[in-house]
């Protein structure tokens, strides 16, 4: 410890030993999973990156006129065309002989539903772009309407639990398999609860030549109905139950998974969130839906082979072991 | 109106202008709570603190932090029953940190490297203090007074310092070199060392009270307690503590072929192990209590250290738990056996445990000798009035101040309510702090009030199971009197063990809060921040979501209402 000295917070902020492409003062809700995910992606990707951002929470909370939280080239497209805009940016940089990396960012609405054709076109044309989808499983920015990504049985304002149905009737769209079917070099899922894994996937996605896709599970405290402090806990349980498998696909083939050391029952995950509160009611349908969600998790564990044989330093319980001094594996 | 020409750009403002801190209703704060190892340590060591220094390779700094409470780490690392390890939160995760092994490692390293105790220079303005008895309590009191600049006279009846450490701890537990090394190191601090000076014979308590501003008494328990029984005992009866002292002095004692030792303390256990080493074929230990271990209530556990009892059993000592002696079987003046009966301490209506024996459960053990080792008491020569007719010195439980006296303090075994080296070291330390406060006119010493952090307040998702590093122990067949049973950790083992510490209640510098804050409102500092952590909350932007507190592995962050 050297002699005591003081430093202003602004100076300290300026000297943080990480790339701060997305800074403070943004208007995301307390405990926002997407704000965290976007910061982590930017940090791992930077500094020579440019972002095409579809309409959605991220765009809204980072850039209310006349301020911006972005400290890198950033372009707001419309809701449905982040893929197309990013493709154009990539082509322009290539023409200029620049190596700046282009990242498209969109929510699940802008990816699974509205922006899907632009994304598919970008992948098909082979643009060297990383497309990141922050998945909070509904249209949160406009007031929690169901999306193609909303999981089965979750309540939203357009799939309310009640007399007619126990939340959303349909299944969550298996987007990563659809993306992988484009035979792109790299597609992966990640979670804000597994930071080292997420960082590694961002770096790897940017290293590959050609389009890559990263699907990040990012809880929304407001839309999911949990405390802001519980964001990581909720995201971690999604992985540990098997409901959100962390997988990597290269040219459409499954190449790696994060093993689950000890699968947790889906109840542990669901009970933390109000959007699944009706599943814990006396309604006889509740039990059926709980079993249904458990079966979906078990199915994921089976088809992706998520069950680890032995405790592994990079499985669902070992992956973010901390050490004094902040040493992590990625 | 500003006219924009073609190609002009407008730089946007930064969102840093938007102070989202105004949203906050809960504020994250760093709160350094006490680790359970610290709360449990009778000597007052903060193991979490010194293990953290150890973990980053600052061994000397770790040793200095350790000796800020306990000047005898090489000794207590060997002989302490380490209640810190029983309290260790990691024990509920996999296995507790081997704190005693790390303590011993640092103590040995300090002796090897010759590191100096950090002490303040003698302050001529401060009055002199006398410490009577150079056992663990007296050595600790003298050291802590000297540390603060006081001139200390250390008065000892015997030619050498050490007290119980020298008179009753066998070589196989505490090698003489270690004892000599640490004591010589302490005495070299510039103490006025007065051996061969017995209280009551060479100097009186009144004289000391006259000559010194304060007097600390650490006389120890030097007399074996008499066996107060209703049955006949042979007039050749040998008492445990005295036999142990004799063996420590002479290196041998007359050894029967078979023997029953009555008692469950360290004296009984050590004597059993020694007689076994000297060739006794059968050594029995008869105790009211049970073998200590997990699930055994404190009042029902033998007072001896668990590790020592375990090793004694490995060496062939037979422990008869929950037994009481009903009478001796005598042939003339010679013991031929002992009649035992099942006995148990039962908690009575007044809430106090009382020994109850069960008729019809008597049995006979055929042995050549019975040795009572049922405790020890103060040899009060020179200060009888202080005892007020009791077998111990009554004192204030925290500071050790003798009630009704402005100058007198006491501690160690002689206060009668505890009997370990680390408890004695703690008594000496607290008394020294209390004396220093009193003499500097700063009032009385108050107990520490920091809350202890529980297991439930840790976030275990960020830790990984790691086996505890165990020191090598001699196989029972190879154990002899003059070889230490347990050896130290190898350097690589010690480093691994220090890394296992969960850092309960204190900053681990793991970067979790910095990494996981969605609002970039935790800033990392290169130097330590003023609160001892490595991070600063930027309350201009912190919205108070509480994610950092929830995900802090060590429970170092708490949320507090703003209004």
């Amino acid at each position: 410890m050297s002699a005591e000295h003081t430093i202003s917070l602004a100076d300290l902020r300026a000297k943080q030993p990480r790339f701060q492409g997305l800074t403070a003062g943004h208007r995301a809700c307390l405990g926002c999973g997407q704000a965290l995910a976007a910061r982590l992606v930017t940090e791992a990707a930077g500094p020579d990156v440019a972002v095409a951002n579809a309409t959605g929470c991220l765009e809204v909370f980072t850039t209310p006129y006349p301020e911006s939280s972005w400290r890198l080239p950033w372009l707001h497209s419309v809701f449905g065309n982040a893929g197309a805009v990013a493709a154009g940016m990539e082509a322009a940089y290539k023409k200029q002989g620049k190596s700046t990396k282009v990242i498209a960012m969109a929510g699940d609405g802008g990816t699974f539903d509205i922006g899907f054709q632009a994304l598919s076109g970008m992948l098909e044309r082979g643009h060297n772009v990383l497309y990141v989808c922050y998945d909070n499983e509904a249209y949160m920015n406009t007031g929690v309407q169901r999306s193609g990504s909303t999981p089965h049985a979750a309540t939203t304002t357009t799939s309310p639990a009640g007399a007619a149905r126990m939340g959303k009737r349909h299944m969550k769209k298996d987007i990563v398999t659809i993306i992988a079917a484009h035979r792109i070099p790299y597609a992966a899922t990640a979670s804000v609860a597994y930071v080292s894994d997420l960082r590694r996937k961002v770096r790897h996605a940017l290293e590959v030549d050609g389009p890559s896709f990263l699907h990040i599970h990012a809880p929304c405290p407001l839309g999911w109905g949990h405390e802001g402090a519980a964001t990581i806990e909720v995201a971690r349980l999604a992985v540990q139950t098997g409901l959100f498998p962390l997988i990597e696909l290269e040219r459409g083939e499954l190449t790696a998974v994060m093993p689950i050391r000890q699968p947790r029952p889906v109840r542990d995950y669901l009970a933390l969130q109000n959007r699944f509160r009706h599943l814990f009611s006396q309604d006889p349908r509740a039990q059926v839906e709980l079993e249904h969600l458990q079966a979906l998790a078990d199915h994921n564990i089976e088809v992706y082979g998520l069950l680890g044989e032995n405790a592994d330093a990079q499985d669902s319980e070992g992956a973010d072991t901390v050490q004094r001094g902040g040493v992590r594996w990625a | 109106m500003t006219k924009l020409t073609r190609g002009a750009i407008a730089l946007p403002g930064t969102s840093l202008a938007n102070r989202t801190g105004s949203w906050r209703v809960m504020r994250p704060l760093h709160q350094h709570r006490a680790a359970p190892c610290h709360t449990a340590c009778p000597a007052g060591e903060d193991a979490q603190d010194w293990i953290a220094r150890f973990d980053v390779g600052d061994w000397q700094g770790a040793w200095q932090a350790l000796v800020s409470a306990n000047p005898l780490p090489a000794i207590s690392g060997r002989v302490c029953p380490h209640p810190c390890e029983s309290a260790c939160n990691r024990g509920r995760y996999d296995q507790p940190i081997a704190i005693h092994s790390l303590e011993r490692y640092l103590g040995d390293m300090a002796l090897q490297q010759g590191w100096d105790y950090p002490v303040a220079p003698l302050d001529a303005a401060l009055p002199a203090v006398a410490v009577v008895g150079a056992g663990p309590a007296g050595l600790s009191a003298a050291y802590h007074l000297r540390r603060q600049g006081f001139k200390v006279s250390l008065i000892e009846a015997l030619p050498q310092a050490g007290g119980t450490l020298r008179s009753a701890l066998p070589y196989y537990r505490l090698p003489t070199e270690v004892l000599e090394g640490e004591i010589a190191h302490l005495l070299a601090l510039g103490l006025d060392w007065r051996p061969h000076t017995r209280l009551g014979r060479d100097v009186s308590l009144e004289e000391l009270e006259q000559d010194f501003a304060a007097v600390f008494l650490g006389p120890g328990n030097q007399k074996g307690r008499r066996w107060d029984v209703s049955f006949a005992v042979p007039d050749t009866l040998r008492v445990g503590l005295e036999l142990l002292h004799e063996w420590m002095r002479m290196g041998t004692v007359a050894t029967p072929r078979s023997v029953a030792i009555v008692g469950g303390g360290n004296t009984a256990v050590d004597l059993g192990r020694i007689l076994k080493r000297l060739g006794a074929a059968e050594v029995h230990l008869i105790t009211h209590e049970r073998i200590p271990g997990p699930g055994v209530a404190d009042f029902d556990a033998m007072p001896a250290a668990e590790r020592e009892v375990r090793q004694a059993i490995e060496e062939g000592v037979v422990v008869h738990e929950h037994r009481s002696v009903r009478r001796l079987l005598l042939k003339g003046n010679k013991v031929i056996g002992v009649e035992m009966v099942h006995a148990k301490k039962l908690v009575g209506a007044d809430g106090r445990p009382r020994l109850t024996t069960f008729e019809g459960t008597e049995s006979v053990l055929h042995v050549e000798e019975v040795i009572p080792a049922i405790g020890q008491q103060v040899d009060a020569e020179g200060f009888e009035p202080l005892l007020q007719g009791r077998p111990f010195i009554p004192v204030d439980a925290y500071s050790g101040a003798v009630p009704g006296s402005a100058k007198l303090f006491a501690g160690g075994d002689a206060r009668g309510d505890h009997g370990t080296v680390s408890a004695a070291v703690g008594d000496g330390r607290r008394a020294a702090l209390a004396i220093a406060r009193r003499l500097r006119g700063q009032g009385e010493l108050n107990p520490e009030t920091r809350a202890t952090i529980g297991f439930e307040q840790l976030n275990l998702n960020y830790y990984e199971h790691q086996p505890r590093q165990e020191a090598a122990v001699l196989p029972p067949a190879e154990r002899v009197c003059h070889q230490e049973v347990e050896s130290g950790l190898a350097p690589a083992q010690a480093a691994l063990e220090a890394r296992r510490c969960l850092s309960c209640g204190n900053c681990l510098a793991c970067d979790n809060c910095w990494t996981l804050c969605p609002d970039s409102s935790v800033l990392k500092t290169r130097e330590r921040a003023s609160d001892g952590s490595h991070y600063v909350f930027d309350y201009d932007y912190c919205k108070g979501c509480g994610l950092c507190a929830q995900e802090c592995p060590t429970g170092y962050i708490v949320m507090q209402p703003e209004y």
Side-chain angles (χ1 to χ4, degrees), chain B residues 240-293:
Chain B
L241 186 67
E242 280 143 35
L243 206 55
L244 183 60
H245 286 172
E246 184 184 336
W247 178 79
M248 291 291 291
R249 278 197 315 276
M250 316 298 286
T252 187
V253 287
T255 306
R257 206 195 63 80
S258 60
V259 60
I261 299 166
V262 184
N266 276 321
T267 304
V269 174
D270 276 330
L271 194 62
R273 299 176 73 182
I274 289 163
L275 292 175
K276 198 77 198 165
R277 282 169 168 73
L278 293 178
E282 272 183 49
V283 177
H284 300 272
L285 222 65
I286 303 174
T287 169
H288 298 157
E289 289 106 353
R290 286 183 63 194
I291 294 168

Side-chain angles (χ1 to χ4, degrees), chain B residues 42-58:
Chain B
E45 284 178 28
D46 189 350
Q48 185 279 320
D49 176 33
W50 60 256
I51 291 175
R53 294 166 201 263
F54 194 114
D55 188 21
V56 295
D58 178 13

